Amino acid sequence: GDSVTQMEGPVTLSEEAFLTINCTYTATGYPSLFWYVQYPGEGLQLLLKATKADDKGSNKGFEATYRKETTSFHLEKGSVQVSDSAVYFCALSDSKNYGGSQGNLIFGKGTKLSVKP
Amino acid sequence: EPEVTQTPSHQVTQMGQEVILRCVPISNHLYFYWYRQILGQKVEFLVSFYNNEISEKSEIFDDQFSVERPDGSNFTLKIRSTKLEDSAMYFCANKKGGGLGNEQFFGPGTRLTVL
């Protein structure tokens, strides 16, 4: 079945460092890809998404490109801030129910990012 | 900005007891989901619900689990006889329309501890 493999954490960076969190997926259909972020004590929030190959999702300085040839959706940010400290989840929407348009999400394990001042 | 709310934030129960986790979705969002996350593990899909019936359920969602919208607004997850391994964070999510690319909005979660 569909699956998401995400870089294990935790990741600790200094402020203004470059961030990459790797994410690869396995899917039989044409999924949409997402990055969700979970700040301490809060629920998951959509950070960015891409719905087809070569699309680039971007938000708050983060970006990720849907690469069908490498089945990847790596998250990047050029200069992280302390406020970016959170857990980041890569996810895909399950395409096997596309006829029913349910789009159940399949998540990676999450990567905890800590940014030090 | 509208948001999904969940109650309680933390539920402690004895093994074998029934629990009901509640979610108030965003108004006019028609697709509903429950996910869970066991500590240190990935977020896992449990069930999706649309038009007052289950659309899909995972292997985790066995006969001990049920969902309903009792009053047309709240969306509940019931575990009939809890087991130790049901201890997890349970997230409710919903989205406005169908389609794979539509955003799911998540609640803050209910932490269930089964003793």
Side-chain angles (χ1 to χ4, degrees), chain A residues 5-73:
Chain A
T5 302
Q6 188 177 338
M7 177 175 148
E8 298 270 341
V11 173
T12 302
L13 296 174
S14 297
E15 205 164 25
E16 299 183 5
F18 184 84
L19 168 71
T20 299
I21 300 178
N22 289 337
C23 172
T24 57
Y25 68 90
T26 302
T28 52
Y30 302 93
S32 292
L33 301 175
F34 304 84
W35 277 99
Y36 277 82
V37 59
Q38 184 178 31
Y39 298 103
E42 299 183 16
L44 284 76
Q45 303 172 25
L46 179 66
L47 180 60
L48 53 84
K49 69 177 185 181
T51 57
K52 61 183 189 296
D54 300 325
D55 268 3
K56 177 186 283 188
S58 60
N59 185 26
K60 299 182 182 179
F62 291 89
E63 57 182 37
T65 301
Y66 188 162
R67 301 282 189 205
K68 192 167 169 59
E69 64 275 16
T70 55
T71 61
S72 64
F73 193 55

Side-chain angles (χ1 to χ4, degrees), chain B residues 11-61:
Chain B
Q11 173 94 46
V12 181
T13 191
Q14 296 292 322
M15 190 169 57
Q17 295 297 303
E18 174 183 285
V19 295
I20 297 176
L21 310 183
R22 292 183 169 80
C23 170
V24 179
I26 297 170
S27 176
N28 81 356
H29 283 220
L30 304 178
Y31 296 80
F32 306 94
Y33 306 82
W34 282 101
Y35 295 85
R36 78 169 187 192
Q37 184 182 28
I38 295 172
L39 187 63
Q41 299 187 25
K42 62 173 65 178
V43 177
E44 301 171 291
F45 165 72
L46 292 178
V47 65
S48 58
F49 188 87
Y50 170 69
N51 202 25
N52 286 320
E53 60 182 24
I54 290 175
S55 305
E56 188 182 6
K57 55 186 180 180
S58 71
E59 295 173 351
I60 303 167
F61 195 88

